[in-house]
Amino acid sequence: MSSIMKVFLLLASMVYISKAQLGESGQQCLCQRVRNQIASKSDVKDIQIYPATVFCDTVEIVVTLNSGLRYCLNPKLNAMKRLLANVIKQKTPTTSTTARPTELSSTARSTSTARI
């Protein structure tokens, strides 16, 4: 087999593997499937909100239960829109000293974590 043919086959296999890793949509999102409802609030340990990026164009909401199970929620639901609005409201500095129903912490990667 000629060396040009070997290079072509190697290049073609690299392209095929990279396309397979990106998935069907061409994006690298954490959430492949989403749920439309949340478990009971007493079972929820942590909620992480990942904003849209160049790698994934949707907001992703990842819920961690006390048992360690993790799943994604649909950010288009009204309850999730209210949760996102609360998180955004908490990120903006305010001068009020009223107690808030959730705590918010964020990391350097712009990931917001809300604790219920």
Side-chain angles (χ1 to χ4, degrees):
M1 189 182 285
S2 70
S3 58
I4 294 175
M5 185 61 100
K6 289 179 184 178
V7 169
F8 177 73
L9 287 174
L10 178 64
L11 204 61
S13 63
M14 288 175 48
V15 168
Y16 178 75
I17 290 171
S18 66
K19 289 285 186 184
Q21 287 178 343
L22 287 177
E24 293 177 10
S25 66
Q27 299 211 359
Q28 296 178 332
C29 298
L30 292 172
C31 301
Q32 301 301 319
R33 295 179 298 162
V34 294
R35 289 188 182 181
N36 288 327
Q37 59 183 339
I38 192 168
S40 69
K41 289 184 180 181
S42 62
D43 291 340
V44 175
K45 178 180 179 182
D46 190 36
I47 297 176
Q48 295 179 330
I49 302 169
Y50 296 93
T53 63
V54 295
F55 301 108
C56 180
D57 62 357
T58 60
V59 174
E60 297 180 289
I61 303 172
V62 180
V63 175
T64 305
L65 301 178
N66 290 328
S67 64
L69 177 70
R70 296 176 73 188
Y71 61 89
C72 297
L73 291 174
N74 186 352
K76 295 178 182 174
L77 294 175
N78 287 333
M80 294 305 107
K81 288 179 182 178
R82 287 192 302 268
L83 175 68
L84 289 173
N86 284 339
V87 168
I88 291 170
K89 185 189 299 184
Q90 288 180 4
K91 278 192 163 188
T92 58
T94 59
T95 58
S96 68
T97 58
T98 58
R100 301 186 194 274
T102 60
E103 292 178 24
L104 177 70
S105 63
S106 61
T107 63
R109 295 186 59 209
S110 301
T111 303
S112 299
T113 303
R115 289 183 179 31
I116 298 177

Tab-separated table of all heavy atoms in Angstrom, residues 14 16 27 43 56 58 116:
chain	number	residue	atom	x	y	z
A	14	MET	N	-9.199	9.517	11.775
A	14	MET	CA	-9.170	10.563	12.803
A	14	MET	C	-10.401	11.458	12.712
A	14	MET	O	-10.991	11.823	13.729
A	14	MET	CB	-7.887	11.391	12.671
A	14	MET	CG	-6.650	10.648	13.120
A	14	MET	SD	-5.099	11.532	12.863
A	14	MET	CE	-5.429	13.128	13.506
A	16	TYR	N	-13.328	10.580	11.492
A	16	TYR	CA	-14.468	9.756	11.911
A	16	TYR	C	-14.543	9.671	13.427
A	16	TYR	O	-15.613	9.816	14.023
A	16	TYR	CB	-14.352	8.364	11.292
A	16	TYR	CG	-15.460	7.439	11.698
A	16	TYR	CD1	-16.733	7.566	11.159
A	16	TYR	CD2	-15.247	6.447	12.652
A	16	TYR	CE1	-17.761	6.739	11.539
A	16	TYR	CE2	-16.272	5.610	13.043
A	16	TYR	CZ	-17.526	5.756	12.484
A	16	TYR	OH	-18.534	4.935	12.880
A	27	GLN	N	-22.264	18.929	19.751
A	27	GLN	CA	-21.999	19.665	20.975
A	27	GLN	C	-21.563	18.708	22.068
A	27	GLN	O	-21.877	17.524	22.037
A	27	GLN	CB	-23.244	20.418	21.395
A	27	GLN	CG	-23.666	21.396	20.352
A	27	GLN	CD	-24.328	22.585	20.960
A	27	GLN	OE1	-24.489	22.673	22.153
A	27	GLN	NE2	-24.687	23.521	20.129
A	43	ASP	N	-34.884	15.416	49.435
A	43	ASP	CA	-33.889	14.492	48.886
A	43	ASP	C	-32.775	15.201	48.125
A	43	ASP	O	-31.753	14.604	47.827
A	43	ASP	CB	-34.551	13.489	47.940
A	43	ASP	CG	-35.447	12.507	48.677
A	43	ASP	OD1	-35.276	12.350	49.895
A	43	ASP	OD2	-36.314	11.910	48.016
A	56	CYS	N	-21.610	23.979	24.404
A	56	CYS	CA	-22.999	23.546	24.603
A	56	CYS	C	-23.860	24.798	24.661
A	56	CYS	O	-23.687	25.623	25.560
A	56	CYS	CB	-23.124	22.729	25.882
A	56	CYS	SG	-24.796	22.154	26.185
A	58	THR	N	-26.960	25.297	25.442
A	58	THR	CA	-28.109	25.311	26.342
A	58	THR	C	-27.649	25.430	27.788
A	58	THR	O	-26.560	25.005	28.146
A	58	THR	CB	-28.950	24.024	26.211
A	58	THR	OG1	-28.117	22.903	26.536
A	58	THR	CG2	-29.501	23.856	24.819
A	116	ILE	N	-30.771	24.127	48.482
A	116	ILE	CA	-32.154	24.355	48.930
A	116	ILE	C	-32.253	24.028	50.403
A	116	ILE	O	-31.738	23.081	50.884
A	116	ILE	CB	-33.138	23.506	48.107
A	116	ILE	CG1	-33.060	23.927	46.662
A	116	ILE	CG2	-34.531	23.655	48.623
A	116	ILE	CD1	-33.907	23.134	45.738
